[in-house]
């Protein structure tokens, strides 16, 4: 299976041109699964609930339909982050849309920094979708800081964790090494680049998207400060083999009775 990491530099609020740029990046490479950043077409720093609501989209609406069409056209699956408008408020959400018209929906569980002012915390937990013989789980950015997030996805059978990100701290790309090893999964962290200055506060995103194998190999390592789309081929069998020697199986050897 071919996985593409896409990293872009959205301009805050310029939804249409951000979507067009994402399509150009997607079309520049051939892959089976494309992983895009968090909030990939809206921008990151919202200044009010009203502003967030004006840029948030309905998961069954036209903008998400655009991703569905792209997945169908490319006979691929696409994982991406977006601001979701719901009856009770807005969520920092992510979705995987598949070539056969299905989807997996996720709402960011662990909100970061000022996201807490405007977004509701995710209420769906961590889940996995099976597509093309692989099991893909979803997580969003700061979820990585809580080892339970990726562990839960691994225990639910994920082979690959699609991790849509807008990272501002420098640690995740290195931490993915441990998260991939300890769960024996592929981790695809797609991270945006560039800076965003809103209301006097400037955030700089760290780019450097990575794809890490269950053996801790960095299969992709994108630039820190340029938009990019890169592809690597992965072997799902590696993620299905939880034995690391004759004696140790990293799932069967867990001792949950001592983890509380
Ligand atoms: C983050 O969760 N966007 C850092």
């Amino acid at each position: 299976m071919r996985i593409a990491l896409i990293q872009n530099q959205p301009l805050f609020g310029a939804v249409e041109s951000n979507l067009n740029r994402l399509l150009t990046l997607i079309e520049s490479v051939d892959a089976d699964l494309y992983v895009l950043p968090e909030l990939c077409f809206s921008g990151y720093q919202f200044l009010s609930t009203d502003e967030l609501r004006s840029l948030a989209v309905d998961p069954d609406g036209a903008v998400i339909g655009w991703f569905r069409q792209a997945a169908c056209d490319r006979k691929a699956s696409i994982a991406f982050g977006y601001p979701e408008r719901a009856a009770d408020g807005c969520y920092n959400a992510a979705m995987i849309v598949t070539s056969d018209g299905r989807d997996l929906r996720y709402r960011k569980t662990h909100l970061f920094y000022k996201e807490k002012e405007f977004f509701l915390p995710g209420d769906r937990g961590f889940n996995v979708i099976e597509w093309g013989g692989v099991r893909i789980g979803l997580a969003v950015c700061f979820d990585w800081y809580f080892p339970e997030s990726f562990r839960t996805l691994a225990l639910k059978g994920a082979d690959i964790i699609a991790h849509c990100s807008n990272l501002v701290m420098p640690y995740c790309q290195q931490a993915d090494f441990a998260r991939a090893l300890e769960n024996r999964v592929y981790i695809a962290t797609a991270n945006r680049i560039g800076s965003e200055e809103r209301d006097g506060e400037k955030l700089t995103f760290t780019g450097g998207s990575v794809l890490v194998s269950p053996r801790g190999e960095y299969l992709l390592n994108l630039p820190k400060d340029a938009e990019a789309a890169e592809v690597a081929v992965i072997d799902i069998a590696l993620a299905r083999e939880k034995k690391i020697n004759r004696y140790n199986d990293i799932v069967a050897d867990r001792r949950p009775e001592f983890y509380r």
Side-chain angles (χ1 to χ4, degrees), residues 242-250 252-253:
K242 302 299 186 190
K243 284 198 179 69
I244 56 168
N245 59 46
R246 278 168 61 208
Y247 296 94
N248 296 114
D249 176 310
I250 58 116
D253 285 358

Side-chain angles (χ1 to χ4, degrees), residues 38 44 108 112 115 141-142 166:
E38 177 183 13
Y44 180 74
K108 186 174 184 177
F112 179 70
E115 290 170 31
C141 205
F142 193 49
N166 274 192

Side-chain angles (χ1 to χ4, degrees), residues 4 6 22 26 34-38 40 67 78-81 163-165 190:
I6 305 286
L22 282 168
I26 289 170
Y34 293 81
V35 186
L36 279 52
E38 177 183 13
C40 66
F67 286 93
I78 305 177
F80 59 95
H163 180 216
C164 306
S165 297

Side-chain angles (χ1 to χ4, degrees), residues 188-238:
T189 295
N191 189 28
R192 68 161 286 182
I193 61 154
S195 294
E196 202 175 83
E197 182 160 2
R198 303 220 63 225
D199 204 23
E201 181 162 23
K202 183 172 175 182
L203 292 183
T204 298
F205 302 92
T206 58
S209 301
V210 291
L211 175 65
V212 188
S213 83
R215 293 198 283 227
E217 301 143 322
Y218 281 73
L219 305 179
L220 291 175
N221 225 321
L222 273 57
K224 290 193 183 347
D225 50 10
E227 291 191 315
E230 292 186 20
V231 181
V233 177
I234 65 165
D235 175 8
I236 288 301
L238 265 189

Side-chain angles (χ1 to χ4, degrees), residues 64 67-68 71 76-80 95-99 102-103:
I64 303 300
F67 286 93
R68 290 185 204 286
S77 286
I78 305 177
F80 59 95
M95 195 183 285
I96 297 176
V97 290
T98 63
S99 56
R102 294 176 300 124
D103 64 49

